[in-house]
Amino acid sequence: MKKGSFFDRSELTRQLWSFRKEFLWVGFFSMIANLLLLTPTLYMLQLYDRVLKGRSELTLIVVTLLMVFLYGIMVVAEWLRSRLLVRGGVRLDEAMNAIVFNASFEKNLKRVDANPAEAIADLTAIRQFLTGNGIFAFFDTPWTPIYIGVIFLLQPFLGWISILFCIIQLLVAWYSHKATIDDIERASKAGGESSAYLFSKLRNIEPVHAMGMTGSLRQRWLDLHERSLAEHGHAQHKQHKQQAFSKFIRYTMQSLTLAAGALMVIEGKMTAGGMIAANVLMSRALQPLDLLIIVWKPFIQARDAFLRLEKLFADFPEYASKPSRPAPQGDVRIDRLVATAPGRKEPILHGLDASFPAGTVTAIIGPSGSGKSTLARCLVGAWPETSGGVLYDEEPIQSWEGEELGPHIGYLPQDIELFEGTIAENISRFGDADPAKVIEAAQRTGIHEAILRFSNGYNSEIGEAGALLSGGQRQRVGLARAIYGNPSVLVLDEPNSNLDDAGERALAQAVGQLKASGKTVFLITHRLNILGAADRVLALRDGRIQHFGPRDGVLEVLNAEQAAKGADRPAAANQNGQGKQNGQ
C-alpha cells in the first residue's frame, strides 16, 4: 500500500475498510429487502386486477400465501443486515478501544486540551451510527430509482412526476442540512463546554464547599448551561421545522401522485390496482430520502467524531513495539535536560547534567517554583515537553516499553493520586497482587498496623481518590505503592508532607533499606529533617543546578550563603536607617 494513500491515514480508517465485506453483505441483504418491498405493490395489482375480477378464492389464497412467504424472507434479510452491522460495530469497538485509550492517555499526559471522555464518546458515536437507522438510509436510498422505474412501467406520466417529486425531496434534504448544520455544531460544542466545566468542579468539590464558592461557580455553570440549552433549543426548533416541512412535502406529493393516478384511471390509461400500486411505490421511493433528513444530526456527529479521532491518531500515533530490555540496575543520568511547557516562554529546566549511581539517595531541594516536581516527572518519563535525555543504565528512558519499565520505577507524586478500589489493589498497582509483597510494602512504610484496624483490612475500599483515608494514610499507601515490588529507581516528591514523627521515622528507615539494597532514590522535599537519609543533595534554583554533591558539603555551602545573605540584610538596613536619619 502506497504511503499516504487514503487507507493509510489511520488505524480507524483501516479498521473501517476492513469491514468492506460486511458492508457488501449488508448491501446484498438490503437489495433483497428492497426488492421484496415491491411485494405489497404486486399483491395489490393481483387483488384489484385478477382476484376481484375473476372472483377466484383459490387465487386469493395462493397470492396471499406467497405474499406472507415473501414478507418472511424480507424480515429475515432485514434481521441479517442489522445483525451484521451490530456485530461489525462491536468488532470495531473491540479493535479500536485500546488504541483510542492509548492515544487519549498520551493526549491527557501531555495536557493538550484534555477531555478524557471525548475520544471514547467519539468512538461510541461512530459505532452507534454504523449500527443505527442512519446507515440503512444510505443503503436504501440507491433503490429509489428502482421504484421509480417500476412506476414508469405502470404509467410513464406518473414516473416523470415521481422524478420531479424526488428532486424536490432531495432539495428539501439539502436545504435542511445547510440550515441546521451550523446550529447542530454550536449546540454540540456548547453542551461539551457545559459538561466539562461541571465535571472539573466536581473533581474539586471539597474546597468549593469549604470556602463558599458554590454559588459563584454554580452561576458560571448556569450561564454555560443556559447557553447550551438555548443553542440546543434553537437547533431542535430548526430541525423540527425542517422535518415538519419535509413531511408536508412528502404527504402532499403522495396525495398528488394518487390524484394523478386517478386521472389516468379516469382516462382509461391505467387500472385502479395500478393507481394504488404507484402510490405505494411513490411512498417507498420517498421514504429513504425523508429518512436522510432525520439522520442528518447523527451523521454530522459521527462525521465530526471521525475527524476528531483522525486528528487524535495523527497527533498521537500508535508506536511500534519496542524491543524487550533487561530490568534497569538503577544507574540514572540526565543529559542536557530541558523541560518546557505550552504557553511559557522560558524553559522550566535549563540543560541539567548530573549522574546518580545505583544505591545512592539524592535529596532535591530548592525554593518553590525552582523545577523540583518537574524534574521528578522527567525522571520517571511523565513530563511531555523535554529535550536532552533521561538515561537509565545509559539507555534513554523512552527506549523501554512503558508497561515493561513501570514495575521497576516507584513514583510518589506531590499530589497523592490513589484510585477507587481496595487498599491492596492500590498498593499492588492494580496488577496481580502478591499478598506477601503487599504486606511487606505496607510494613516498610509503617501503615500495616493501621490497615489491620480497618474492618476489611487490606480488602477495605478507599473510595474515589482515596477519600476514605486521612492525608497521612493516603501518603503512606502511596509510598507503599511506590516501593511495591522493590523497584530499581524511586522518585518520591514531598513524601513526608503529611507524615507525623512516627511516619517520618518509618520513611527514613524505608529509604535506608532501599539504599542498602542498591536502589536509586530521589527525595524531593522542603522539610530538611529528612535530609539525614540522603547521601547527596541537588539544589535547584530557577530551573538550574545551583549545587550538587555530597550532602554535608552542599548543606555547608548553602548555610554559608544563607549566613552571608543574613549578614548583608542588617548592614543594608543600617545604611538605610542612617540615610533616613541624615535626610531628617
Side-chain angles (χ1 to χ4, degrees):
M1 189 180 294
K2 186 182 292 185
K3 187 176 181 180
S5 66
F6 174 78
F7 302 116
D8 196 41
R9 290 175 63 189
S10 75
E11 184 63 25
L12 177 59
T13 306
R14 290 192 291 271
Q15 286 294 333
L16 289 173
W17 179 243
S18 71
F19 293 115
R20 58 190 180 277
K21 290 183 179 179
E22 283 82 353
F23 284 124
L24 286 175
W25 277 108
V26 170
F28 173 73
F29 289 125
S30 295
M31 177 188 70
I32 294 176
N34 280 278
L35 282 175
L36 293 177
L37 281 174
L38 295 173
T39 299
T41 301
L42 298 174
Y43 184 65
M44 288 180 188
L45 286 173
Q46 296 301 316
L47 287 182
Y48 281 96
D49 298 342
R50 178 172 297 181
V51 174
L52 294 181
K53 288 183 178 180
R55 298 183 180 278
S56 171
E57 294 180 356
L58 180 61
T59 303
L60 175 62
I61 293 173
V62 170
V63 296
T64 300
L65 290 175
L66 181 61
M67 177 265 297
V68 173
F69 175 72
L70 293 177
Y71 275 154
I73 296 177
M74 181 183 69
V75 169
V76 171
E78 290 189 345
W79 174 76
L80 286 174
R81 71 173 184 173
S82 298
R83 182 175 174 81
L84 275 172
L85 287 177
V86 170
R87 291 178 63 183
V90 172
R91 280 181 52 206
L92 174 67
D93 196 292
E94 291 175 346
M96 293 301 303
N97 52 26
I99 299 172
V100 171
F101 178 89
N102 291 339
S104 181
F105 181 86
E106 290 292 328
K107 180 178 179 180
N108 283 272
L109 182 64
K110 295 186 177 182
R111 300 169 178 83
V112 182
D113 299 327
N115 183 356
E118 182 181 61
I120 301 298
D122 286 341
L123 180 61
T124 301
I126 294 174
R127 175 174 55 80
Q128 289 177 341
F129 178 76
L130 292 177
T131 58
N133 290 328
I135 198 70
F136 292 144
F138 290 99
F139 279 106
D140 293 343
T141 300
W143 287 90
T144 294
I146 305 296
Y147 299 140
I148 294 176
V150 177
I151 296 175
F152 264 102
L153 293 177
L154 294 173
Q155 172 50 243
F157 177 69
L158 295 182
W160 288 113
I161 290 179
S162 300
I163 291 177
L164 174 63
F165 288 169
C166 285
I167 292 174
I168 293 173
Q169 189 76 355
L170 285 173
L171 290 175
V172 170
W174 176 82
Y175 174 75
S176 175
H177 165 69
K178 297 296 290 184
T180 59
I181 182 171
D182 291 337
D183 298 286
I184 293 173
E185 290 177 347
R186 280 196 299 269
S188 178
K189 183 179 178 181
E193 290 176 353
S194 174
S195 299
Y197 183 86
L198 177 61
F199 291 146
S200 68
K201 300 306 170 284
L202 290 176
R203 284 196 297 266
N204 300 281
I205 195 167
E206 289 184 3
V208 170
H209 172 72
M211 294 185 286
M213 300 164 61
T214 307
S216 300
L217 295 178
R218 180 177 61 242
Q219 186 57 51
R220 292 195 177 191
W221 173 74
L222 284 174
D223 292 341
L224 290 172
H225 186 60
E226 288 174 1
R227 175 172 165 264
S228 171
L229 288 177
E231 294 288 355
H232 277 280
H234 183 66
Q236 288 181 339
H237 173 71
K238 272 196 171 182
Q239 279 187 290
H240 294 159
K241 184 171 67 175
Q242 294 300 323
Q243 291 172 8
F245 179 66
S246 174
K247 285 183 179 180
F248 167 75
I249 294 295
R250 181 159 61 91
Y251 293 153
T252 301
M253 290 187 297
Q254 288 176 3
S255 298
L256 290 176
T257 302
L258 193 61
L263 180 62
M264 294 295 100
V265 173
I266 293 173
E267 294 179 356
K269 296 181 179 180
M270 67 184 307
T271 65
M275 176 190 71
I276 301 298
N279 184 257
V280 173
L281 286 171
M282 184 62 191
S283 175
R284 296 297 185 190
L286 293 178
Q287 188 175 4
L289 303 181
D290 192 55
L291 185 60
L292 284 176
I293 299 175
I294 298 174
V295 301
W296 268 127
K297 181 177 179 180
F299 170 71
I300 292 170
Q301 291 173 337
R303 182 204 64 182
D304 292 344
F306 175 82
L307 294 176
R308 282 194 297 268
L309 287 179
E310 285 282 271
K311 185 177 186 305
L312 177 67
F313 297 143
D315 294 340
F316 305 96
E318 188 81 357
Y319 295 106
S321 298
K322 299 173 184 176
S324 180
R325 292 187 177 277
Q329 299 302 305
D331 287 314
V332 180
R333 182 165 67 88
I334 52 177
D335 180 26
R336 298 187 298 275
L337 179 63
V338 176
T340 58
R344 180 177 173 132
K345 295 181 180 179
E346 287 292 320
I348 302 172
L349 301 178
H350 299 262
L352 306 187
D353 285 287
S355 296
F356 312 94
T360 57
V361 179
T362 302
I364 301 174
I365 63 175
S368 297
S370 59
K372 301 187 300 299
S373 292
T374 302
L375 176 57
R377 293 172 183 170
C378 292
L379 289 171
V380 297
W383 190 263
E385 305 292 335
T386 61
S387 60
V390 175
L391 295 90
Y392 283 19
D393 299 347
E394 294 303 316
E395 295 290 342
I397 191 172
Q398 293 83 5
S399 64
W400 270 274
E401 285 283 0
E403 293 189 7
E404 184 180 54
L405 179 62
H408 305 293
I409 294 179
Y411 178 46
L412 178 69
Q414 187 173 4
D415 297 324
I416 310 299
E417 297 172 348
L418 300 180
F419 304 98
E420 187 173 1
T422 67
I423 295 175
E425 288 173 335
N426 274 272
I427 293 178
S428 64
R429 308 182 183 189
F430 286 86
D432 295 330
D434 184 331
K437 291 181 179 180
V438 170
I439 294 173
E440 178 190 6
Q443 288 175 335
R444 292 170 72 177
T445 58
I447 197 175
H448 174 68
E449 298 297 332
I451 293 174
L452 294 180
R453 287 194 290 270
F454 284 91
S455 58
N456 292 320
Y458 282 89
N459 291 322
S460 300
E461 296 284 340
I462 65 172
E464 186 176 358
L468 302 181
L469 302 177
S470 68
Q473 289 172 335
R474 282 197 297 270
Q475 192 148 40
R476 290 200 195 189
V477 171
L479 181 59
R481 179 182 63 187
I483 67 176
Y484 174 81
N486 290 315
S488 303
V489 178
L490 292 100
V491 180
L492 311 178
D493 194 353
E494 301 289 352
N496 54 345
S497 59
N498 292 311
L499 298 183
D500 55 16
D501 292 339
E504 290 219 25
R505 287 194 297 271
L507 173 61
Q509 184 178 1
V511 171
Q513 292 172 348
L514 292 167
K515 177 183 176 181
S517 59
K519 312 302 181 184
T520 306
V521 183
F522 298 89
L523 296 171
I524 294 90
T525 182
H526 279 103
R527 299 172 65 174
L528 303 184
N529 49 351
I530 194 63
L531 294 184
D535 47 23
R536 303 206 298 174
V537 172
L538 186 151
L540 284 176
R541 182 176 291 276
D542 298 326
R544 293 179 172 85
I545 296 178
Q546 184 183 18
H547 300 290
F548 178 48
R551 178 193 64 200
D552 294 338
V554 172
L555 292 180
E556 184 177 346
V557 172
L558 291 174
N559 288 333
E561 290 179 351
Q562 189 65 29
K565 288 181 180 179
D568 288 341
R569 288 195 189 96
N574 290 336
Q575 291 174 3
N576 290 338
Q578 291 173 1
K580 289 180 180 179
Q581 290 175 359
N582 294 334
Q584 289 173 350

